[in-house]
Amino acid sequence: MAVPLFDTSTPLEPIRAEIADAITRVVDGGRFILGPEVAAFEAEFAAYCEAKQAIGVANGTDALTIALRAMGVGPGDDVVVPSYTFYASAEAIPPTGARPVFCDVDPDTGCVTPETVAAALTPHTKAVIAVHLYGNIAPIAEIEALGVPVLEDAAQAAGSRFAAGRPGTLGTAATFSFFPSKNLGCFGDGGAITTNDPEIADRCRMLRFHGSYDKTTFEHVGYNSRLDELQAAILRVQLPELDRWADGRRAAGRAYEEAGLADVVTLPSPAPGASPAWHLYVVRSERADALEAALRDAGVGAKAYYRLPVHRQPAMRELAAGVELPVTDELARTHLAIPMSPVLTAAQAAEVTAAARSVLTSV
Ligand SMILES: Cc1ncc(COP(=O)(O)O)c(C=O)c1O
């Protein structure tokens, strides 16, 4: 039985007609930019996250740059960011004029910790980007207790829960990506920023709209970065499904545990107090490359997303000169994403586990 790395179409089957109706509604309404669908989605997504405000933007990368600028980050500032993440977490910093300062992560959760952040603080640190990696939850309150504002990069964590609330309200602001394969994905690019701070929200709205309130007077050099009406209408149909899909992701994680996958690889560990909606299910093995090749040969999707961590990417080499991040290097070398989706069955989890067992117990 082939098992795909992810499945974005099966979960949408029961709501295809509703999505088609939503698209027709937008086309018939003739309003495509910053209209009623974006306004309604922003209100509904803010309510879902239990945040005071949500601002729709064009993608999760712009969301980070705009949120950082709205938090006051600019030229001469440093922003602490993990290197074990998708490249965009750091790529979003230089356009603000600030410098990324890379920090290490916890080996078990894959997320930054107060200790790894503290080790990277400089006299110029203006903010920290804490990535909720793979849907796990970084300890935001403990990091803000260091006295530095935190921007949650929640691109991979829609649907996750934490004892203290949902991603989106744990820090000063949070950003989301609605890239199609994300836990809440649209039919193209999309993103959002959430915050409880009305001034930050106001600045985000202005920055996403060319730095203007009225497209007549331009207060700042901003961006043309809006979530569009079609994507917002599609997201509005999907949002009520998100918790059910998140439960499906958690059940898939439990199915791997019950199948005995922990006998042959290290499984991902939820952070204390976290109930992750696994976006990617990432295991660790000293033989990760051999496992990837063998799983693929067996028809099982597998992918090493971050084999070259961000601080070792060509574009970041100058900014990261002399930086040593041993846990990041170790996770980059040993990680492997295996199939995960809201509809992954126990039989599929058993199949993946059997394939992994046969590779890793052979000499
Ligand atoms: C952790 C993280 N941050 C930021 C992004 C950027 O989001 P987008 O692709 O919507 O620009 C992504 C996803 O691609 C991501 O996984």
Short mmCIF file of all heavy atoms in Angstrom, two decimals, residues 59-61 64 85-86 88-89 131 153 155-156 177-179 182 189-190 306, ligand 1:
data_model
loop_
_atom_site.label_atom_id
_atom_site.label_comp_id
_atom_site.label_asym_id
_atom_site.label_seq_id
_atom_site.Cartn_x
_atom_site.Cartn_y
_atom_site.Cartn_z
N ASN A 59 0.96 36.13 2.34
CA ASN A 59 1.63 34.85 2.63
C ASN A 59 2.27 34.93 4.03
O ASN A 59 2.33 36.01 4.63
CB ASN A 59 2.69 34.51 1.57
CG ASN A 59 3.68 35.64 1.39
OD1 ASN A 59 4.47 35.91 2.30
ND2 ASN A 59 3.64 36.33 0.26
N GLY A 60 2.77 33.80 4.49
CA GLY A 60 3.34 33.75 5.84
C GLY A 60 4.68 34.45 5.96
O GLY A 60 5.08 34.84 7.06
N THR A 61 5.39 34.61 4.85
CA THR A 61 6.68 35.31 4.88
C THR A 61 6.45 36.81 5.04
O THR A 61 7.06 37.47 5.90
CB THR A 61 7.48 35.01 3.59
OG1 THR A 61 7.50 33.61 3.37
CG2 THR A 61 8.89 35.54 3.68
N LEU A 64 5.49 37.76 8.54
CA LEU A 64 6.60 37.94 9.49
C LEU A 64 7.24 39.32 9.34
O LEU A 64 7.45 40.04 10.33
CB LEU A 64 7.67 36.87 9.26
CG LEU A 64 7.33 35.45 9.74
CD1 LEU A 64 8.27 34.43 9.10
CD2 LEU A 64 7.42 35.35 11.25
N THR A 85 14.52 25.55 11.02
CA THR A 85 13.17 25.99 10.65
C THR A 85 13.15 26.15 9.14
O THR A 85 14.19 25.97 8.48
CB THR A 85 12.82 27.33 11.33
OG1 THR A 85 11.52 27.77 10.87
CG2 THR A 85 13.81 28.43 11.00
N PHE A 86 11.98 26.49 8.58
CA PHE A 86 11.95 26.83 7.16
C PHE A 86 12.67 28.17 6.97
O PHE A 86 12.55 29.08 7.80
CB PHE A 86 10.51 26.89 6.64
CG PHE A 86 10.45 27.27 5.18
CD1 PHE A 86 11.17 26.55 4.23
CD2 PHE A 86 9.72 28.36 4.76
CE1 PHE A 86 11.14 26.91 2.89
CE2 PHE A 86 9.69 28.73 3.42
CZ PHE A 86 10.41 28.00 2.49
N ALA A 88 12.17 30.82 5.45
CA ALA A 88 11.44 32.09 5.50
C ALA A 88 11.44 32.74 6.89
O ALA A 88 11.34 33.96 6.99
CB ALA A 88 9.99 31.89 5.04
N SER A 89 11.56 31.92 7.95
CA SER A 89 11.55 32.50 9.31
C SER A 89 12.66 33.54 9.44
O SER A 89 12.49 34.57 10.10
CB SER A 89 11.76 31.42 10.38
OG SER A 89 10.80 30.41 10.27
N VAL A 131 9.57 29.87 16.60
CA VAL A 131 8.82 29.05 15.63
C VAL A 131 8.16 27.88 16.37
O VAL A 131 8.84 27.16 17.12
CB VAL A 131 9.78 28.49 14.54
CG1 VAL A 131 9.00 27.66 13.52
CG2 VAL A 131 10.52 29.64 13.85
N ASP A 153 6.09 32.46 15.20
CA ASP A 153 5.93 31.99 13.82
C ASP A 153 5.09 30.72 13.92
O ASP A 153 5.60 29.63 14.19
CB ASP A 153 7.29 31.74 13.17
CG ASP A 153 7.16 31.27 11.72
OD1 ASP A 153 6.04 30.88 11.34
OD2 ASP A 153 8.17 31.28 11.00
N ALA A 155 3.28 29.42 11.52
CA ALA A 155 2.96 28.94 10.16
C ALA A 155 2.58 27.47 10.16
O ALA A 155 1.74 27.03 9.38
CB ALA A 155 4.14 29.18 9.23
N GLN A 156 3.22 26.69 11.06
CA GLN A 156 3.00 25.23 11.05
C GLN A 156 2.07 24.79 12.18
O GLN A 156 1.91 23.59 12.39
CB GLN A 156 4.35 24.52 11.18
CG GLN A 156 5.33 24.87 10.06
CD GLN A 156 6.64 24.09 10.11
OE1 GLN A 156 6.84 23.25 10.99
NE2 GLN A 156 7.52 24.36 9.16
N SER A 177 0.75 30.92 8.03
CA SER A 177 0.80 30.71 6.58
C SER A 177 -0.39 29.84 6.19
O SER A 177 -0.67 28.86 6.88
CB SER A 177 2.09 29.99 6.20
OG SER A 177 1.99 29.47 4.88
N PHE A 178 -1.04 30.20 5.09
CA PHE A 178 -2.12 29.35 4.57
C PHE A 178 -1.70 28.68 3.27
O PHE A 178 -2.52 28.39 2.41
CB PHE A 178 -3.41 30.16 4.40
CG PHE A 178 -3.86 30.85 5.66
CD1 PHE A 178 -4.16 32.21 5.66
CD2 PHE A 178 -3.96 30.16 6.85
CE1 PHE A 178 -4.56 32.86 6.82
CE2 PHE A 178 -4.36 30.80 8.03
CZ PHE A 178 -4.66 32.15 8.01
N PHE A 179 -0.37 28.47 3.10
CA PHE A 179 0.17 27.69 1.98
C PHE A 179 -0.63 26.39 1.89
O PHE A 179 -1.01 25.82 2.92
CB PHE A 179 1.66 27.42 2.27
CG PHE A 179 2.40 26.74 1.17
CD1 PHE A 179 2.89 27.46 0.09
CD2 PHE A 179 2.61 25.36 1.21
CE1 PHE A 179 3.59 26.80 -0.93
CE2 PHE A 179 3.29 24.71 0.20
CZ PHE A 179 3.78 25.43 -0.88
N LYS A 182 -0.43 23.49 4.40
CA LYS A 182 -0.45 23.77 5.83
C LYS A 182 -1.71 23.19 6.50
O LYS A 182 -2.64 22.78 5.82
CB LYS A 182 -0.38 25.29 6.06
CG LYS A 182 0.98 25.89 5.65
CD LYS A 182 2.06 25.49 6.64
CE LYS A 182 3.33 26.29 6.51
NZ LYS A 182 4.24 25.86 5.46
N ASP A 189 -1.43 31.22 -2.28
CA ASP A 189 -0.70 31.76 -1.13
C ASP A 189 -1.64 32.58 -0.26
O ASP A 189 -2.58 33.23 -0.75
CB ASP A 189 0.44 32.67 -1.60
CG ASP A 189 1.69 31.87 -1.97
OD1 ASP A 189 2.12 31.05 -1.15
OD2 ASP A 189 2.22 32.08 -3.08
N GLY A 190 -1.37 32.58 1.04
CA GLY A 190 -2.15 33.40 1.97
C GLY A 190 -1.48 33.38 3.32
O GLY A 190 -0.67 32.49 3.61
N TYR A 306 14.91 20.01 6.29
CA TYR A 306 15.88 21.03 6.70
C TYR A 306 17.28 20.44 6.85
O TYR A 306 17.97 20.67 7.84
CB TYR A 306 15.44 21.68 8.04
CG TYR A 306 14.00 22.18 8.04
CD1 TYR A 306 13.16 21.91 9.12
CD2 TYR A 306 13.48 22.90 6.96
CE1 TYR A 306 11.84 22.36 9.12
CE2 TYR A 306 12.17 23.34 6.96
CZ TYR A 306 11.35 23.06 8.04
OH TYR A 306 10.05 23.50 8.04
C1 LIG B 1 7.95 27.98 9.88
C2 LIG B 1 7.53 28.73 8.64
N1 LIG B 1 7.64 30.07 8.62
C3 LIG B 1 7.24 30.78 7.55
C4 LIG B 1 6.73 30.17 6.43
C5 LIG B 1 6.40 31.02 5.25
O1 LIG B 1 5.07 30.94 4.83
P1 LIG B 1 4.69 31.20 3.30
O2 LIG B 1 5.16 30.03 2.51
O3 LIG B 1 3.20 31.32 3.34
O4 LIG B 1 5.34 32.47 2.89
C6 LIG B 1 6.56 28.77 6.43
C7 LIG B 1 5.93 28.02 5.33
O5 LIG B 1 6.16 27.88 4.23
C8 LIG B 1 7.00 28.03 7.54
O6 LIG B 1 6.91 26.70 7.57
#
